[in-house]
Amino acid sequence: MHQIKMFKSVDTEVADMEYQINRWMRKSGARVISITGNMSGSPNSSGGPLSSFAANDVLVIVLYEVDAPQKA
């Protein structure tokens, strides 16, 4: 049976998110089918002196498989 797990972070904390995802995969024993991600643009990316420091949201979706529950 397919399941999804979503991870959300910001681009300044990608290394921490990678650690969390890898830790979850090790602990859960999930059989990963695919991993996709998206980074949103900062609302201030069109200009301004501080726009290069604005964090972007990062979303990672893991599609994985688990055994279907056994019926008694």
Side-chain angles (χ1 to χ4, degrees):
M1 179 166 45
H2 290 174
Q3 301 283 308
I4 63 166
K5 175 90 173 155
M6 297 194 298
F7 297 87
K8 182 180 178 285
S9 188
V10 292
D11 63 353
T12 57
E13 299 174 2
V14 168
D16 184 53
M17 184 171 63
E18 288 173 352
Y19 174 80
Q20 290 177 22
I21 293 168
N22 288 326
R23 183 172 181 251
W24 171 79
M25 287 191 300
R26 280 191 308 272
K27 289 185 93 172
S28 71
R31 293 184 304 268
V32 175
I33 297 167
S34 71
I35 299 175
T36 56
N38 188 40
M39 182 181 297
S40 69
S42 171
N44 296 328
S45 63
S46 61
L50 298 179
S51 64
S52 62
F53 299 106
N56 295 311
D57 288 332
V58 177
L59 177 68
V60 173
I61 301 171
V62 179
L63 177 64
Y64 66 102
E65 190 170 58
V66 296
D67 294 328
Q70 300 294 324
K71 294 184 180 183

